[in-house]
Amino acid sequence: MMKSTLLRFFAISGVAVAVTGCVSDQKAAQVKLEQQAVLGLNWVQQSGEYQALAYQAFNTARRAFDAAKAQNGHKKAVIVDLDETMIDNSAYAAWRVEHGVPYTKPTWARWMEAKQATAIDGAVSFARYVNSYGGRMFYISNRDDTSYAATVENLQKLGFPGVSRETVLLRTTQSNKQARFDRVKSKGYDVVVYIGDNLNDFGTACYGKNNRERRLQVAAQQKQFGSKFIMLPNPNYGDWISGMATDYYKQTPVRQLEINRENLRVWKD
Ligand SMILES: [Mg+2]
């Protein structure tokens, strides 16, 4: 009796040690995953090169907007994404690096409520230009609609024009933005330019696809980049990450680190 109780105790404590070890491995892997963002965040926050690309995007967008003719009496519209397209949330990502924690809905909600996103260079003046020269800006973002009030306040504080229930369309049920794009069109607008940091900001073709399929789609639409579609760089996150493996975000941090490494094309010297 004594012996079997003792055995059971050791068996249970062995399991406990294994589980604890596993948890701390995962925690260490999560810290590493967040650390992988550091150089990208340094680049976004510090480099003139990132800043130059942002100006380049909005200068190109302005020329594309000017050159576009709206179809049969429709009014010209420009559809933009918000996060990492018009506004910069890199301080939230940097906070995650500092704490070694992943994206979570509650911490992201706290960040949005703090209204500390900054404007990306060139974004505000581009938006004002469109609204002043015969167009209308629509801000279509996958921020949850519960963050509407905070998001609008943040945008207004930064000087973005024409921010209202009609023009700021956040996510209610679907992440796929196509239904919201169609809503803008159904109101008599011709969408002449789309601006985003994620291929899904331009339509449904890449939604839920892996990176190989996404690249093929981009190649097929190559002529539209710089005229109808304007891309901002985002080295920190996007659907290109989940495009590296099936169910990427359902994997453990240890596995996610492996996937990131497996996706490198490596010099075989
Ligand atoms: Mg975005």
Side-chain angles (χ1 to χ4, degrees):
M1 182 69 194
M2 179 71 184
K3 196 181 167 194
S4 77
T5 307
L6 214 60
L7 274 177
R8 201 172 299 141
F9 171 78
F10 282 121
I12 290 168
S13 61
V15 167
V17 166
V19 167
T20 313
C22 189
V23 166
S24 71
D25 285 354
Q26 296 298 346
K27 173 65 189 161
Q30 188 61 53
V31 169
K32 265 192 202 163
L33 275 175
E34 298 304 320
Q35 287 289 330
Q36 292 191 335
V38 169
L39 275 180
L41 292 170
N42 288 153
W43 184 69
V44 166
Q45 294 183 341
Q46 301 297 334
S47 77
E49 287 81 357
Y50 173 79
Q51 186 186 20
L53 281 170
Y55 283 127
Q56 182 173 298
F58 290 110
N59 289 341
T60 306
R62 188 178 298 203
R63 276 198 298 276
F65 171 76
D66 283 341
K69 302 266 179 289
Q71 300 297 305
N72 42 24
H74 288 179
K75 193 175 177 182
K76 288 202 277 190
V78 172
I79 289 182
V80 296
D81 168 56
L82 287 178
D83 296 317
E84 278 49 68
T85 296
M86 305 304 270
I87 55 177
D88 174 339
N89 302 283
S90 60
Y92 167 73
W95 174 89
R96 280 171 37 197
V97 172
E98 283 292 292
H99 293 83
V101 294
Y103 165 92
T104 63
K105 278 185 180 174
T107 60
W108 174 244
R110 266 179 59 215
W111 161 257
M112 289 190 291
E113 289 302 319
K115 296 165 256 183
Q116 288 176 19
T118 55
I120 289 180
D121 287 302
V124 173
S125 62
F126 172 76
R128 288 182 177 165
Y129 183 86
V130 167
N131 279 9
S132 309
Y133 291 93
R136 189 140 191 226
M137 290 290 295
F138 287 88
Y139 307 91
I140 301 189
S141 160
N142 279 343
R143 284 184 166 212
D144 192 273
D145 196 58
T146 52
S147 77
Y148 177 79
T151 298
V152 161
E153 226 179 286
N154 199 157
L155 292 173
Q156 284 170 337
K157 200 167 75 177
L158 296 171
F160 285 102
V163 170
S164 70
R165 258 293 170 201
E166 203 188 334
T167 58
V168 179
L169 305 176
L170 304 187
R171 189 190 63 225
T172 51
T173 49
Q174 298 178 45
S175 301
N176 189 336
K177 293 180 168 182
Q178 192 60 49
R180 282 170 282 167
F181 294 169
D182 293 342
R183 221 154 90 205
V184 171
K185 291 176 193 162
S186 74
K187 286 179 181 160
Y189 289 95
D190 187 9
V191 183
V192 295
V193 176
Y194 293 81
I195 313 181
D197 68 300
N198 190 351
L199 291 170
N200 296 344
D201 298 330
F202 305 136
T204 200
C206 290
Y207 192 78
K209 300 280 166 63
N210 67 34
N211 283 335
R212 203 186 72 84
E213 296 164 326
R214 286 159 63 81
R215 289 194 302 269
L216 284 172
Q217 184 61 33
V218 168
Q221 293 180 302
Q222 57 188 278
K223 292 217 164 59
Q224 312 228 52
F225 291 96
S227 53
K228 189 167 191 181
F229 302 145
I230 308 292
M231 180 66 86
L232 271 292
N234 180 359
N236 187 39
Y237 69 89
D239 290 324
W240 59 271
I241 293 185
S242 49
M244 289 195 289
T246 309
D247 293 330
Y248 181 92
Y249 286 112
K250 290 184 184 158
Q251 310 301 321
T252 63
V254 166
R255 181 68 196 127
Q256 288 180 6
L257 278 177
E258 283 170 7
I259 293 167
N260 293 359
R261 218 174 43 238
E262 287 163 9
N263 273 271
L264 288 173
R265 195 172 65 237
V266 181
W267 178 35
K268 305 276 191 290
D269 68 331

